[in-house]
Amino acid sequence: MNCPRCKDTRLEPIDLRGIEVDRCVFCRGIWLDHHELDELEDKVMDEGYSKGTLTYFKRDSEIGCPKCGMGMTTFNYRAHDLPIDLCQQGHGYWLDPGEDEKVISILRERVTDLKRSSSAEASWLKTKTGGQSTSILSKIKNLFRR
């Protein structure tokens, strides 16, 4: 498989955080098979958290898929200013140099935000109930009392 940016440079397998991916030795871009982006994200995200929507602002890419040669789609990763290329046939993703670290950083920020939100919700519930835990049955009854 050749690099979609450099064209004639072969992609070489490397280990990226315990995931075998393909990297261009010249431009240092990385090819992730479709499931490997999810695996990279899972290195940061706990199972209980939602990652959110993956693709925003889709547009035509300037590169072709290294597997099938068809034109790829560029999208903004999880509503951030991080353009990633996606094979329209679902073969995988192209990350330019450093974008793998940006993916990790974005997800770390998401985890922090979700933990802060969860903590605020628990604090609000404790204040609302006067520090007492309320059973689900009591909560349902309270809904009908209003």
Side-chain angles (χ1 to χ4, degrees), residues 7-125:
K7 308 289 186 227
D8 294 330
T9 307
R10 295 250 341 130
L11 298 176
E12 301 291 330
I14 64 158
D15 181 271
L16 176 69
R17 297 179 182 261
I19 306 164
E20 186 177 302
V21 300
D22 299 294
R23 181 174 69 190
C24 177
V25 294
F26 184 71
C27 76
R28 318 250 333 134
I30 297 172
W31 174 257
L32 299 172
D33 290 328
H34 198 289
H35 67 281
E36 292 170 342
L37 178 60
D38 197 42
E39 289 178 32
L40 180 62
E41 292 174 329
D42 287 345
K43 298 290 181 181
V44 177
M45 295 291 288
D46 295 331
E47 285 187 31
Y49 292 120
S50 170
K51 295 176 189 172
T53 303
L54 178 66
T55 61
Y56 286 87
F57 187 53
K58 289 183 181 181
R59 57 216 179 264
D60 289 338
S61 175
E62 59 190 41
I63 61 174
C65 173
K67 284 201 173 184
C68 69
M70 294 189 64
M72 295 179 73
T73 299
T74 299
F75 66 92
N76 286 14
Y77 176 77
R78 301 202 183 278
H80 289 264
D81 187 22
L82 176 58
I84 292 180
D85 300 288
L86 163 69
C87 173
Q88 294 179 27
Q89 301 302 308
H91 291 124
Y93 303 89
W94 179 257
L95 278 62
D96 289 316
E99 290 180 344
D100 57 313
E101 290 301 322
K102 290 178 183 176
V103 164
I104 295 296
S105 176
I106 287 168
L107 286 176
R108 282 188 178 136
E109 180 183 315
R110 176 137 176 88
V111 167
T112 299
D113 291 345
L114 289 169
K115 286 180 179 177
R116 184 175 34 248
S117 174
S118 181
S119 174
E121 185 178 321
S123 182
W124 175 83
L125 182 59

